[in-house]
Amino acid sequence: VPGFYGENLAGRVETLSRNGSDLTATVIAQASRAEGLTLWKDVDGVYCSDPRTNPQARLFDRLSFDFFEHLQLTLPLKDLTN
């Protein structure tokens, strides 16, 4: 699903403004009765720690779905970009 398209009040397809993909993801999560939604954004990738506070933070070059599933189940994740 392209995240930046929506429908206006007249029923015409339009491009959504900034954060339109986040809105689309939220609507899909709600409609599918998902237990949660995690948005991964505004980063170059996944680091071993916060690169803003740790200059030695290493960027992972390859990750698996199992890694993210484990991460989601074991760590309290937050959106720190706001």
Side-chain angles (χ1 to χ4, degrees):
V1 174
F4 47 86
Y5 291 111
E7 187 176 287
N8 66 18
L9 295 175
R12 297 178 131 194
V13 174
E14 289 190 353
T15 303
L16 298 174
S17 62
R18 183 165 170 75
N19 294 318
S21 322
D22 297 356
L23 176 62
T24 301
T26 303
V27 169
I28 291 171
Q30 164 85 34
S32 65
R33 297 183 179 148
E35 292 181 21
L37 170 66
T38 303
L39 300 173
W40 299 79
K41 59 185 203 167
D42 300 328
V43 293
D44 296 328
V46 177
Y47 288 84
C48 64
S49 64
D50 187 345
R52 294 172 294 186
T53 59
N54 178 7
Q56 302 300 317
R58 185 174 61 91
L59 176 65
F60 291 103
D61 57 356
R62 183 173 286 196
L63 297 168
S64 68
F65 177 78
D66 290 336
F67 171 83
F68 283 103
E69 186 174 45
H70 174 76
L71 188 67
Q72 180 180 359
L73 295 174
T74 58
L75 295 176
L77 301 177
K78 308 182 211 187
D79 180 0
L80 301 175
T81 60
N82 295 327

